[in-house]
Amino acid sequence: IAKATLAVTTPSDSKAFDGEALTAEGSISGFVNGETAAFETTGSQTEVGTSTNTYSIDWEDEATTAKQGNYTVSENLGTLTVTKGSPSAYDADVAIAGWTYDGKFDDAGSLSSSADSESDGAEVSYAYYAKDGEDWVELGAAPVDAGQYKVVASWPETPNYPALSDECEFAIAKATLAVTTPSDSKAF
């Protein structure tokens, strides 16, 4: 008596990295005489990369009525693929409040930034630009003089995220000088 053939099929699927496992439920068919076996799709891909969408048949499970020796298994297994998404798919934010000229950069400590890729080890770097008419001119250091500026926060590419960036404009207002001259009088 020849063994009957079970057909196991697991689908392929893909998505951009989001930190959640990618799974795709498979199927099994070909049991005879109403027999069954405990079947589970076990394939899972969380990090950027690919893997086979695997499965398991538990021939010893109490709900299994089929005998392994009566079947051969024909597999058609898919691939699970997690890719880096486009930068617009992830959060990257930088913020800074302007201040009045005091000869220091952001003495109030308002500069803040965060990006999804920080959970993957990305560290932020900042570049500063001064407004020059309609253009922006990159500065070699953080600004301290009065003027219109922007900060660009950048996070490098990581194994699971593309390079990310965000920018924020801010102003350093001119300080007000109070000039006081005393009044005086004298006889001519």
Side-chain angles (χ1 to χ4, degrees):
I1 299 176
K3 294 181 178 184
T5 300
L6 293 177
V8 172
T9 302
T10 61
S12 294
D13 203 357
S14 65
K15 71 172 184 172
F17 175 80
D18 63 3
E20 301 292 325
L22 171 64
T23 60
E25 193 62 36
S27 63
I28 188 170
S29 62
F31 288 108
V32 297
N33 297 326
E35 294 179 331
T36 62
F39 172 81
E40 177 182 16
T41 307
T42 57
S44 178
Q45 183 71 33
T46 302
E47 304 295 318
V48 169
T50 61
S51 62
T52 302
N53 193 5
T54 55
Y55 70 95
S56 69
I57 300 172
D58 186 351
W59 297 102
E60 304 300 319
D61 187 271
E62 62 183 42
T64 297
T65 58
K67 293 181 182 173
Q68 185 176 4
N70 290 331
Y71 294 92
T72 59
V73 178
S74 172
E75 298 176 335
N76 181 10
L77 305 182
T79 301
L80 300 174
T81 304
V82 175
T83 60
K84 290 181 186 182
S86 68
S88 63
Y90 304 107
D91 288 329
D93 299 298
V94 64
I96 187 169
W99 62 92
T100 299
Y101 171 77
D102 61 2
K104 301 174 188 170
F105 174 75
D106 191 27
D107 199 37
S110 71
L111 177 63
S112 65
S113 62
S114 66
D116 288 346
S117 59
E118 289 177 349
S119 67
D120 209 28
E123 293 185 14
V124 66
S125 62
Y126 300 104
Y128 299 93
Y129 297 81
K131 185 80 165 177
D132 183 17
E134 295 298 313
D135 299 321
W136 292 99
V137 177
E138 187 168 4
L139 303 173
V144 295
D145 294 328
Q148 289 293 120
Y149 301 97
K150 75 176 176 179
V151 58
V152 176
S154 300
W155 294 264
E157 181 176 9
T158 68
N160 293 307
Y161 292 92
L164 302 175
S165 67
D166 191 35
E167 62 184 56
C168 180
E169 293 184 24
F170 64 99
I172 301 175
K174 292 181 179 182
T176 302
L177 292 178
V179 177
T180 306
T181 58
S183 297
D184 201 1
S185 65
K186 74 175 189 172
F188 182 65

